[in-house]
Amino acid sequence: MLVRSVDDRKIENLKQLLAECTDCVVLTHSRPDGDAMGSSLALSLFLKACGKKATVVVPNDYPPFLAWMPSIADVLVYDKNVAAAEEVLKNADLFFCLDFNSLSRIDEVGKVVAELPTKRVLIDHHLAPDNVFDISISHPEACSTAELVFKVLWQMGEADRIDASIAECIYTGIMTDTGNFAYASGRKEVYHIVAELISKGIDKDLIYRRVFYNYSFSRMRLLGFMMYEKLRYFPEYNAALITLTYDEFMRFHAAKGDTEGIVNMPLQIKGVRFSCFLREEMPGKVNVSLRSVDDFPCNKVAEKFFSGGGHKNASGGEVRGTMDEAVQLFEKALADYSRELTE
Ligand code: 5GP
Ligand code: MN
């Protein structure tokens, strides 16, 4: 059964804000993933169905394997079209902030938003949101922000407005943030929601193929290269590391999105509880992705060593420096967390 776990006073406040607004902007985090796009597109489609203007603004582009998503062509990518995005932000009378907990997670968009008096509604499942939202619907126990969007619509009494397109977007968010129900998805309510989505007419197997069976040949070759040449196993720490330099990325004609999900793979090695993927995005900047299983808090490692954060089992950050420096930081983190990794 579905549970009314979102505070009903917040739902009432949200209904009030919705009644008063005409021009909404839905914001989601930098380097948006399936949940960021799924939750944002679902909410924007709902708002449009209610007769509002609604635009999704993302700080930078979404990965190509999400290009099939309903209405994604209408998304405004800030770093590709700064003037148009700023115009839309300035004209909005309500902001929805989805799948992030701090304005710093939306890069330059956050600076624009911080200067505007427009009310902000947070719907998110990351820990400890900043205190900069007028309504804060923050549920770290939720598997995804998409799940929360479903809950909010349902609690508002608007479940009937969820059509097949909205349901596809919500399902995509739930499916991607749980690794197709491999983690963070042990609550039975998740499956009641999935059942509701299926009753709206989605083809869940098709969505799976669109997202996960949609890679390029170059990605497969890159994957082989990384697993064979670039994967390091640290059995004494139950950990693994994959690195990819900018030159290697270019050599394999890899595209944005081609490295998606690779950080999870070393967790398939028996005993590995902590996995790190270091990708040199450009010379001098290394992007950090961390994953863990059970109780090992990789977000603490992200905070302490990589100026980042995230969830207990999925987090990230960056290193302003060389790949060697990033690797050294990772090795230092292993030594620092040796007890937690081996107990
Ligand atoms: P990914 O490895 O997929 O890029 O990121 C996994 C998760 O880590 C994201 O969903 C997000 O919660 C968190 N994350 C990634 N990068 C950062 C960052 O730079 N700062 C913070 N606070 N969280 C991050
Ligand atoms: Mn999410």
Side-chain angles (χ1 to χ4, degrees):
M1 282 305 102
L2 297 177
V3 190
R4 295 187 75 84
S5 46
V6 179
D7 184 341
D8 271 317
R9 280 166 308 183
K10 292 184 182 176
I11 295 289
E12 285 311 311
N13 293 344
L14 177 57
K15 279 185 176 173
Q16 187 73 35
L17 284 185
L18 276 177
E20 292 161 4
C21 79
T22 55
D23 199 335
C24 310
V25 165
V26 182
L27 302 163
T28 194
H29 63 76
S30 183
R31 298 193 303 115
D33 57 11
D35 186 34
M37 295 316 297
S39 57
S40 301
L41 292 170
L43 183 65
S44 71
L45 288 168
F46 165 77
L47 293 168
K48 286 181 205 163
C50 296
K52 315 280 179 196
K53 210 169 153 237
T55 312
V56 177
V57 176
V58 292
N60 38 42
D61 215 349
Y62 49 83
F65 60 81
L66 298 176
W68 60 271
M69 293 187 78
S71 78
I72 202 160
D74 301 334
V75 169
L76 257 179
V77 182
Y78 181 85
D79 71 0
K80 281 187 178 171
N81 205 341
V82 175
E86 291 196 349
E87 189 66 19
V88 165
L89 291 170
K90 285 187 186 120
N91 289 333
D93 53 15
L94 188 58
F95 289 143
F96 284 93
C97 299
L98 265 56
D99 204 36
F100 64 91
N101 56 2
S102 155
L103 293 182
S104 64
R105 291 282 290 130
I106 53 172
D107 303 349
E108 294 301 308
V109 180
K111 294 180 189 157
V112 181
V113 166
E115 297 293 313
L116 292 167
T118 318
K119 290 231 161 87
R120 306 167 192 153
V121 178
L122 175 82
I123 305 179
D124 178 46
H125 70 136
H126 294 85
L127 291 165
D130 285 353
N131 195 11
V132 294
F133 304 100
D134 297 277
I135 300 179
S136 184
I137 299 176
S138 166
H139 286 257
E141 79 283 4
C143 73
S144 57
T145 299
E147 174 193 340
L148 284 172
V149 167
F150 181 93
K151 280 291 276 287
V152 167
L153 300 188
W154 175 72
Q155 280 193 229
M156 288 200 304
E158 299 282 5
D160 286 348
R161 274 201 223 262
I162 300 177
D163 61 10
S165 295
I166 297 177
E168 274 192 335
C169 295
I170 294 175
Y171 186 79
T172 303
I174 295 176
M175 179 189 80
T176 53
D177 254 26
T178 61
N180 200 35
F181 307 96
Y183 41 79
S185 47
R187 289 167 37 254
K188 66 180 180 192
E189 194 182 15
V190 173
Y191 301 90
H192 288 295
I193 293 174
V194 169
E196 292 294 324
L197 298 175
I198 288 174
S199 74
K200 301 285 183 180
I202 65 163
D203 181 341
K204 68 174 264 304
D205 297 355
L206 178 62
I207 295 174
Y208 180 89
R209 291 198 304 277
R210 281 173 168 166
V211 172
F212 294 117
Y213 286 5
N214 190 17
Y215 294 122
S216 60
F217 183 52
S218 1
R219 147 129 173 161
M220 275 301 171
R221 305 229 11 229
L222 177 66
L223 200 63
F225 167 71
M226 285 197 285
M227 292 304 144
Y228 191 65
E229 300 262 355
K230 305 303 306 274
L231 171 64
R232 286 175 64 191
Y233 175 36
F234 298 83
E236 67 280 27
Y237 294 113
N238 296 317
L241 168 69
I242 301 174
T243 57
L244 186 66
T245 65
Y246 183 73
D247 286 346
E248 289 161 346
F249 185 81
M250 298 309 277
R251 179 145 62 87
F252 280 83
H253 307 288
K256 236 179 141 204
D258 277 351
T259 55
E260 194 71 32
I262 283 170
V263 62
N264 292 294
M265 291 182 175
L267 295 174
Q268 296 175 12
I269 302 167
K270 187 176 175 184
V272 168
R273 302 176 57 209
F274 178 40
S275 168
C276 174
F277 176 46
L278 299 174
R279 182 174 63 86
E280 193 180 32
E281 196 178 309
M282 56 176 112
K285 181 169 183 244
V286 179
N287 199 289
V288 183
S289 280
L290 303 173
R291 296 292 185 275
S292 64
V293 293
D294 299 331
D295 282 339
F296 184 70
C298 69
N299 55 338
K300 297 270 179 275
V301 178
E303 283 162 24
K304 190 164 171 196
F305 292 92
F306 299 115
S307 330
H311 310 275
K312 185 177 76 177
N313 292 141
S315 62
E318 63 174 41
V319 175
R320 295 276 170 178
T322 64
M323 180 60 88
D324 283 348
E325 284 161 347
V327 171
Q328 277 167 25
L329 277 173
F330 173 72
E331 288 176 341
K332 194 162 178 306
L334 289 186
D336 240 53
Y337 280 88
S338 149
R339 193 172 51 79
E340 291 87 340
L341 284 166
T342 52
E343 68 190 5

